[in-house]
Amino acid sequence: MFVVLIRTITLYLFIIVGIRLLGKHQIGQLEPSELVLTLIIADLASVPMQDNGIPLLAGLIPIVVLLALSSIISVLCTKSIRFRALLCGRPSVVVENGQVVEAELSKNRLTLDELMEELRIQGYADFKAIKFALLETNGQLSVLPYAADKPVTAAQMGVAVQETGLPVVLISDGRLLEHNLKGTGYERNLLEKQLAAHGLHSPRQA
């Protein structure tokens, strides 16, 4: 039982490190090659976890090879546009100038109902308000409305807006993050005054 626990923890940590090295893509943003890699790694890891008769290296080595192969493919994709297009495909324009491009829907095996559902999720109920809608290589839909339908910006209205810095967490779970506080350039006594103004006496109460 203890051996199974150690093997499971080892494989789990190894896969976490390997996937972490591949980048910060979310599951919904995975390219086809990345999704296939994830599924294969999960299958390879499950075998030595369940069968103690299989050497641990027999599960680790294929995973290492796959991660290395994925890294090589990523480098090739950044170096070659043609290779990236061959592996990941190209974005497809499914709506153009308020009209559905039926050929692209058929090519991507996307039904009109599915397209309308994605558009409604993004707040568009009418094709006529859309200049372009692109089906990205990761399966997500990007919608570009007409310029007249875009929200007005402060620059277009001629309004001067003061820039704000990047929000920084100073207190997390009641603990003061000293390095974040130093990065803001504020003193601790100023933070304490802000806490006191809200009826708090220490960061632990935040």
Side-chain angles (χ1 to χ4, degrees):
M1 185 66 180
F2 182 73
V3 175
V4 175
L5 177 63
I6 295 299
R7 288 164 66 96
T8 301
I9 293 175
T10 301
L11 284 165
Y12 175 77
L13 295 177
F14 184 81
I15 293 173
I16 290 295
V17 172
I19 296 297
R20 180 67 181 83
L21 293 175
L22 293 180
K24 296 185 177 181
H25 285 185
Q26 299 177 3
I27 296 299
Q29 297 174 335
L30 294 179
E31 299 291 350
S33 60
E34 296 169 333
L35 179 59
V36 170
L37 172 69
T38 304
L39 295 175
I40 294 178
I41 287 179
D43 188 56
L44 287 173
S46 66
V47 176
M49 282 184 185
Q50 299 172 359
D51 190 351
N52 291 338
I54 299 176
L56 190 58
L57 284 178
L60 293 178
I61 291 177
I63 294 175
V64 171
V65 173
L66 287 174
L67 292 174
L69 181 61
S70 178
S71 298
I72 293 173
I73 290 175
S74 296
V75 172
L76 291 176
C77 285
T78 58
K79 299 294 184 181
S80 173
I81 296 178
R82 291 184 178 179
F83 183 81
R84 183 166 64 248
L86 177 64
L87 185 66
C88 302
R90 298 180 184 275
S92 300
V93 179
V94 293
V95 178
E96 183 174 2
N97 296 324
Q99 299 293 326
V100 177
V101 183
E102 297 287 351
E104 290 299 323
L105 287 184
S106 299
K107 178 182 176 182
N108 290 278
R109 293 181 293 279
L110 183 69
T111 66
L112 184 60
D113 290 338
E114 291 172 335
L115 175 61
M116 293 182 66
E117 179 181 353
E118 289 295 330
L119 292 176
R120 287 195 300 270
I121 290 174
Q122 299 196 34
Y124 297 93
D126 191 355
F127 295 120
K128 296 180 180 179
I130 300 173
K131 178 67 174 177
F132 293 107
L134 295 92
L135 185 63
E136 305 292 354
T137 56
N138 59 10
Q140 293 186 331
L141 191 69
S142 298
V143 180
L144 305 175
Y146 284 98
D149 295 324
K150 293 181 179 179
V152 179
T153 64
Q156 292 172 332
M157 297 180 64
V159 178
V161 181
Q162 184 178 2
E163 293 290 344
T164 59
L166 181 67
V168 178
V169 177
L170 299 180
I171 300 175
S172 177
D173 296 328
R175 299 172 61 184
L176 176 62
L177 305 181
E178 296 283 356
H179 59 284
N180 284 358
L181 182 62
K182 292 179 180 179
T184 60
Y186 292 104
E187 299 293 336
R188 180 162 183 168
N189 58 356
L190 179 60
L191 175 63
E192 292 175 350
K193 291 180 180 179
Q194 293 292 330
L195 291 174
H198 290 82
L200 304 175
H201 303 290
S202 69
R204 293 183 180 180
Q205 295 178 305

